Amino acid sequence: QKEVEQNSGPLSVPEGAIASLNCTYSDRGSQSFFWYRQYSGKSPELIMSIYSNGDKEDGRFTAQLNKASQYVSLLIRDSQPSDSATYLCAVHYGGNQFYFGTGTSLTVIP
Amino acid sequence: GAGVSQSPSNKVTEKGKDVELRCDPISGHTALYWYRQRLGQGLEFLIYFQGNSAPDKSGLPSDRFSAERTGESVSTLTIQRTQQEDSAVYLCASSLEWPGLESQYFGPGTRLLVL
């Protein structure tokens, strides 16, 4: 059984702080990792992807991958109230399926 | 251009009835996914279509669930003899190519409530 685990939260951070979201996965054969943002009542939207160990930065977002520890994280710098959403971690193992975690709810407090 | 559209946006049905959910992918997208998202849960893969290839049905939870897609156009997900545990948001996503790693676009979903 391929599993993707996330802390459901809620995670609350003050505006301007760094929000750190974590995800672990069970299968060492995992190849590709994704972070989706889902606003309440809306569909998910892709915000970051990462394929290699290390950090990948895109604006205020940084994805970090450690395949040895089977761990992927998302850092949001200078958090804004508009970042308040549920963040879904997804893992692709090379077949047709993407495996999603249950999501972490983030609230950025003004 | 137009995004992925789904209909109906909301559906309330009685236990035991059949329902049909529709997905219109982005024009030209060959890959199409159906997911189920229960309240407070992540996305659960249901079925995958890629062009004219045989679909990957490995995620369908029971034989009450079926889906069709004609070529690279509209897809329908049918749930027969609905049960209360089928209540969820059903999301469709399409992408330009397999497996859609960078370009998986989601529709707004159909919220299904089985009474």
Side-chain angles (χ1 to χ4, degrees):
Chain A
Q1 178 72 17
K2 295 178 173 59
E3 296 183 350
V4 179
E5 301 285 341
Q6 293 182 255
N7 187 328
S8 63
L11 174 65
S12 295
V13 300
E15 184 175 355
I18 295 175
S20 177
L21 306 163
N22 304 317
C23 174
T24 59
Y25 57 94
S26 63
D27 194 312
R28 288 189 176 274
S30 305
Q31 300 178 356
S32 311
F33 307 86
F34 306 88
W35 284 99
Y36 285 81
R37 177 175 61 200
Q38 187 174 27
Y39 292 113
S40 180
K42 303 295 185 181
S43 54
E45 54 178 330
L46 180 67
I47 54 172
M48 286 287 287
S49 62
I50 187 166
Y51 304 100
S52 304
N53 278 328
D55 295 0
K56 178 181 178 182
E57 187 174 318
D58 184 1
R60 294 186 297 112
F61 298 96
T62 299
Q64 299 176 318
L65 176 61
N66 184 325
K67 290 189 176 182
S69 299
Q70 296 173 238
Y71 175 96
V72 58
S73 64
L74 179 70
L75 301 178
I76 307 175
R77 290 183 301 281
D78 187 25
S79 296
Q80 301 297 308
S82 59
D83 295 326
S84 298
T86 295
Y87 289 80
L88 299 169
C89 173
V91 177
H92 184 246
Y93 294 89
N96 293 328
Q97 294 195 27
F98 291 79
Y99 292 84
F100 285 79
T102 56
T104 297
S105 175
L106 171 67
T107 300
V108 180
I109 304 168
Chain B
V4 179
S5 61
Q6 292 185 246
S7 61
S9 54
N10 293 281
K11 177 71 176 178
V12 181
T13 191
E14 293 180 347
K15 177 181 174 181
K17 296 288 180 68
D18 297 351
V19 296
E20 186 174 280
L21 312 180
R22 177 186 169 108
C23 172
D24 281 271
I26 294 172
S27 178
H29 280 196
T30 61
L32 187 147
Y33 291 81
W34 281 99
Y35 295 92
R36 178 170 69 181
Q37 186 174 31
R38 291 191 166 118
L39 186 65
Q41 300 298 309
L43 275 66
E44 178 186 359
F45 167 80
L46 297 177
I47 190 169
Y48 167 76
F49 294 92
Q50 170 60 33
N52 292 315
S53 302
D56 179 348
K57 304 180 180 180
S58 58
L60 294 179
S62 77
D63 59 7
R64 296 187 296 104
F65 287 72
S66 62
E68 294 183 350
R69 186 185 188 197
T70 303
E72 298 177 0
S73 62
V74 170
S75 176
T76 56
L77 175 68
T78 301
I79 308 173
Q80 296 178 309
R81 305 181 301 283
T82 53
Q83 303 294 312
Q84 289 182 333
E85 61 263 29
D86 299 334
S87 297
V89 176
Y90 290 83
L91 289 161
C92 173
S94 72
S95 64
L96 190 59
E97 78 293 330
W98 181 90
L101 296 178
E102 295 287 344
S103 61
Q104 194 170 166
Y105 294 92
F106 283 85
T110 293
R111 285 157 183 77
L112 174 66
L113 177 62
V114 182
L115 300 176

